[in-house]
Amino acid sequence: MSPRQTCMQCLQRDPPALLEAALWIAAEHDDQFQPAQVLAELHGLLMQVSAGLPALPARELAQPLLRRLAELDFQEDDEGVTRPYHSLLHEVLRRRRGQPLALAIIALELARRLDIPLQGVNFPGHFLLRVPGADHLLDPCGGRRLYTPDCREQLYRQLGPGVELSGVHLQTADARDMLRRLSRNLRLLHMQHDNPMAALKDAERVLLLGPANLVDHLARADVYRNLDCPQGERYDLEHALLFCDDPCLRLELSQRLHSLARAPAMH
């Protein structure tokens, strides 16, 4: 099977093999990488983390787990410019630097193996974690607790004034949600770093993970335009129109489609 097929198969397991699926995403971008090797080496990290945890009930170990990872130098990327390797899990494990979502996926895998209850939270702009039923969230980058005022402040930093904190910002993320968000992050990062072929792999995976929406079709249309592939761009613009209710945006998309229809065919 291809890396993508294996990634999707990981989601069919019970429970889904989230970290392994994320490693197969990395393998799609690095044909020299073998996920089996990293999975075998993960036991060593598990032992390091476990040795540093206090003797507490499992429900109280989520924050100590995240603090222990920070002690082992797993930190948010600090280079100033976020690069694709900050979201490719094999590189994050090797460098011990990554985006919050990548660090959260590692923490969730360790928590699963240690029977520590922990779940992802699809917070805008900065992925968070939560112990089920707790009155606070946890930052995967060090384990800081975030109560409601902290979440409001975090939302303000990410989305600006005028956005009220609501339940939609605090929704639990399942494995498919996290892989979709990881793929969107990679799509953006690969485009920012002038690698549209890699971004196309990510854009395709986002739509495969579904459900499709306006933003994801527009994003892949932009990738196709960057690759000078009018047929692919046209397909995604037509599908974006199906999701679009904004008259101004519909007009803009229709004009783009019209210009593509007038463009001479490339042979």
Side-chain angles (χ1 to χ4, degrees), residues 18 58-59 61-66 69 103-112 115-121 127-134 136-140 172-173 178:
L18 172 61
R59 183 174 174 77
L61 286 175
Q63 188 177 44
L65 166 67
L66 297 171
L69 281 170
L103 296 175
I105 290 173
I106 294 168
L108 286 163
E109 175 65 17
L110 295 171
R112 183 187 68 80
D115 294 320
I116 299 171
L118 191 62
Q119 58 189 196
V121 177
F127 196 83
L128 297 173
L129 295 165
R130 171 171 53 211
V131 176
H136 59 273
L137 303 182
L138 295 168
D139 189 337
T172 300
M178 286 184 265

XYZ file of all heavy atoms in Angstrom, residues 18 58-59 61-66 69 103-112 115-121 127-134 136-140 172-173 178:
325
model
N -3.413 7.199 15.780
C -3.192 8.591 15.388
C -1.733 8.889 15.077
O -1.411 9.433 14.013
C -3.693 9.518 16.500
C -3.378 11.006 16.347
C -4.005 11.585 15.081
C -3.829 11.776 17.583
N -4.062 8.136 37.581
C -3.893 8.406 36.145
C -4.588 9.693 35.722
O -4.065 10.450 34.901
C -4.422 7.222 35.335
N -5.752 9.983 36.306
C -6.504 11.172 35.914
C -5.755 12.466 36.242
O -6.031 13.512 35.652
C -7.873 11.146 36.611
C -8.767 12.289 36.224
C -10.157 12.153 36.814
N -10.922 13.352 36.533
C -11.468 13.652 35.369
N -11.342 12.815 34.362
N -12.146 14.765 35.198
N -2.434 12.832 35.919
C -1.086 12.769 35.338
C -0.944 13.476 33.993
O 0.153 13.527 33.451
C -0.658 11.300 35.185
C -0.271 10.583 36.476
C 0.014 9.118 36.189
C 0.944 11.251 37.110
N -2.022 14.039 33.455
C -1.917 14.675 32.144
C -0.959 15.871 32.176
O -0.065 15.985 31.332
C -3.295 15.110 31.642
N -1.150 16.767 33.142
C -0.253 17.923 33.224
C 1.186 17.508 33.544
O 2.126 18.013 32.896
C -0.760 18.929 34.247
C 0.043 20.239 34.228
C -0.510 21.263 35.207
O -0.830 20.925 36.337
N -0.615 22.511 34.772
N 1.435 16.609 34.509
C 2.804 16.139 34.710
C 3.429 15.509 33.459
O 4.626 15.663 33.218
C 2.660 15.111 35.835
C 1.471 15.579 36.615
C 0.531 16.114 35.576
N 2.613 14.807 32.657
C 3.113 14.237 31.408
C 3.625 15.332 30.482
O 4.731 15.238 29.919
C 2.001 13.435 30.728
C 2.224 13.038 29.263
C 3.363 12.045 29.136
C 0.948 12.449 28.656
N 2.841 16.391 30.315
C 3.237 17.490 29.426
C 4.461 18.223 29.981
O 5.354 18.630 29.222
C 2.070 18.454 29.234
C 0.835 17.853 28.546
C -0.341 18.804 28.595
C 1.160 17.476 27.097
N 7.513 16.101 29.261
C 7.954 16.250 27.868
C 8.748 17.547 27.690
O 9.756 17.579 26.974
C 6.754 16.226 26.920
C 6.177 14.841 26.593
C 4.853 14.975 25.850
C 7.173 14.025 25.773
N 3.090 18.421 18.811
C 3.439 18.048 20.185
C 2.263 17.361 20.878
O 2.452 16.419 21.657
C 3.860 19.294 20.972
C 5.130 19.999 20.483
C 5.354 21.287 21.276
C 6.353 19.090 20.594
N 1.050 17.815 20.566
C -0.140 17.204 21.168
C -0.309 15.760 20.707
O -0.688 14.887 21.501
C -1.380 18.020 20.811
N -0.035 15.485 19.442
C -0.173 14.121 18.922
C 0.803 13.185 19.633
O 0.451 12.047 19.985
C 0.038 14.110 17.395
C -1.151 14.790 16.699
C 0.209 12.687 16.872
C -0.968 14.993 15.208
N 2.011 13.661 19.883
C 2.988 12.851 20.626
C 2.493 12.615 22.056
O 2.527 11.487 22.566
C 4.359 13.546 20.625
C 4.922 13.602 19.202
C 5.340 12.826 21.558
C 6.128 14.520 19.041
N 2.008 13.671 22.712
C 1.515 13.545 24.086
C 0.318 12.598 24.161
O 0.207 11.797 25.098
C 1.132 14.925 24.628
N -0.568 12.678 23.187
C -1.744 11.806 23.185
C -1.356 10.333 23.039
O -1.967 9.458 23.658
C -2.704 12.220 22.064
C -3.500 13.509 22.324
C -4.092 14.039 21.030
C -4.596 13.254 23.360
N -0.339 10.066 22.222
C 0.115 8.680 22.068
C 0.723 8.166 23.365
O 0.442 7.035 23.792
C 1.126 8.591 20.931
C 1.763 7.222 20.744
C 0.777 6.145 20.324
O -0.329 6.491 19.856
O 1.111 4.946 20.461
N 1.550 8.979 24.008
C 2.151 8.561 25.279
C 1.076 8.383 26.345
O 1.118 7.422 27.135
C 3.191 9.587 25.723
C 4.413 9.723 24.806
C 5.259 10.922 25.237
C 5.252 8.452 24.803
N 0.114 9.300 26.381
C -0.977 9.198 27.354
C -1.776 7.913 27.133
O -2.151 7.226 28.091
C -1.889 10.418 27.244
N -2.024 7.579 25.879
C -2.767 6.341 25.576
C -2.013 5.125 26.103
O -2.607 4.236 26.727
C -2.982 6.226 24.063
C -3.802 5.011 23.643
C -3.830 4.862 22.127
N -2.527 4.514 21.600
C -2.014 3.283 21.600
N -2.688 2.282 22.149
N -0.828 3.046 21.075
N -2.256 4.884 29.845
C -3.634 4.888 30.370
C -3.978 6.180 31.098
O -4.695 6.184 32.111
C -3.865 3.686 31.305
C -3.806 2.357 30.564
O -4.323 2.294 29.433
O -3.224 1.403 31.098
N -3.456 7.302 30.589
C -3.769 8.625 31.133
C -4.871 9.241 30.273
O -4.686 9.404 29.064
C -2.530 9.538 31.126
C -1.422 8.947 32.002
C -2.881 10.945 31.581
C -0.091 9.667 31.876
N -6.035 9.585 30.839
C -7.116 10.161 30.022
C -6.726 11.549 29.502
O -6.353 12.428 30.277
C -8.306 10.238 30.984
C -7.703 10.208 32.357
C -6.425 9.437 32.254
N -6.816 11.717 28.183
C -6.431 12.979 27.556
C -7.058 13.024 26.177
O -7.111 12.002 25.478
C -4.907 13.075 27.455
C -4.298 14.430 27.073
C -4.638 15.492 28.111
C -2.776 14.300 26.932
N -7.537 14.198 25.781
C -8.148 14.345 24.454
C -7.755 15.683 23.841
O -7.382 16.626 24.549
C -9.681 14.227 24.551
C -10.337 15.224 25.471
C -11.806 14.952 25.728
O -12.521 15.830 26.204
N -12.285 13.752 25.436
N -7.825 15.742 22.509
C -7.505 16.959 21.794
C -8.670 17.930 21.755
O -9.832 17.533 21.801
N -8.349 19.215 21.675
C -9.354 20.277 21.578
C -8.984 21.159 20.391
O -7.883 21.714 20.318
C -9.406 21.130 22.874
C -10.398 22.274 22.718
C -9.765 20.261 24.062
N -3.570 24.501 19.000
C -4.233 23.269 19.431
C -4.008 23.053 20.923
O -2.911 23.294 21.446
C -3.679 22.085 18.641
C -4.540 20.859 18.721
C -5.635 20.711 17.889
C -4.259 19.849 19.624
C -6.443 19.586 17.961
C -5.051 18.717 19.710
C -6.150 18.585 18.866
N -5.070 22.601 21.608
C -5.002 22.404 23.056
C -5.417 20.978 23.430
O -5.853 20.203 22.571
C -5.906 23.427 23.759
C -5.523 24.897 23.573
C -6.593 25.812 24.171
C -4.160 25.209 24.182
N -5.269 20.656 24.689
C -5.615 19.339 25.218
C -6.532 19.491 26.428
O -6.614 20.563 27.026
C -4.347 18.576 25.612
C -3.394 18.218 24.465
C -2.041 17.802 25.000
C -3.996 17.124 23.591
N -7.203 18.378 26.785
C -8.120 18.438 27.922
C -8.236 17.049 28.544
O -8.303 16.040 27.833
C -9.497 18.901 27.449
C -10.605 18.801 28.488
C -11.883 19.474 28.005
N -12.300 18.974 26.703
C -12.955 19.707 25.791
N -13.255 20.970 26.038
N -13.311 19.187 24.646
N -8.267 17.028 29.870
C -8.666 15.815 30.587
C -10.193 15.800 30.574
O -10.819 16.795 30.953
C -8.138 15.819 32.030
C -8.653 14.595 32.787
C -6.618 15.860 32.036
N -10.825 14.724 30.113
C -12.297 14.706 30.053
C -12.923 15.082 31.387
O -12.570 14.563 32.441
C -12.609 13.241 29.695
C -11.392 12.766 28.958
C -10.234 13.462 29.612
N -13.835 16.065 31.327
C -14.548 16.507 32.525
C -13.852 17.592 33.318
O -14.436 18.133 34.258
N -12.613 17.952 32.958
C -11.880 18.971 33.715
C -12.435 20.366 33.421
O -13.052 20.607 32.382
C -10.393 18.918 33.363
N -10.620 22.991 32.926
C -9.571 23.776 32.269
C -9.032 22.980 31.095
O -9.254 21.774 30.966
C -8.433 24.069 33.264
C -7.806 22.823 33.814
N -8.301 22.178 34.917
C -6.732 22.087 33.393
C -7.569 21.101 35.170
N -6.610 21.023 34.262
N -8.303 23.677 30.222
C -7.597 23.044 29.113
C -6.104 23.049 29.427
O -5.654 23.703 30.370
C -7.872 23.796 27.809
C -9.347 23.941 27.404
C -9.452 24.662 26.066
C -10.040 22.603 27.349
N -5.343 22.332 28.624
C -3.894 22.242 28.809
C -3.188 22.601 27.514
O -3.587 22.174 26.428
C -3.494 20.818 29.229
C -3.990 20.335 30.592
C -3.763 18.837 30.735
C -3.292 21.094 31.714
N -2.134 23.401 27.661
C -1.301 23.742 26.514
C -0.320 22.591 26.280
O 0.428 22.225 27.192
C -0.535 25.039 26.800
C 0.189 25.580 25.577
O 0.485 24.804 24.654
O 0.461 26.799 25.559
N -0.312 21.986 25.075
C 0.629 20.888 24.835
C 2.085 21.323 24.896
O 2.967 20.482 25.048
C 0.253 20.398 23.430
C -0.452 21.535 22.786
C -1.149 22.263 23.890
N -14.090 18.873 21.099
C -13.131 17.772 21.122
C -12.768 17.373 19.694
O -13.628 17.323 18.805
C -13.731 16.556 21.859
O -14.048 16.946 23.196
C -12.762 15.396 21.888
N -11.493 17.105 19.469
C -11.000 16.702 18.148
C -10.703 15.206 18.160
O -9.938 14.736 19.014
C -9.739 17.490 17.788
N -7.802 15.742 13.795
C -6.407 16.151 14.001
C -5.566 15.951 12.747
O -4.735 16.800 12.403
C -5.821 15.397 15.192
C -6.338 15.912 16.530
S -5.577 15.113 17.963
C -6.781 13.837 18.300
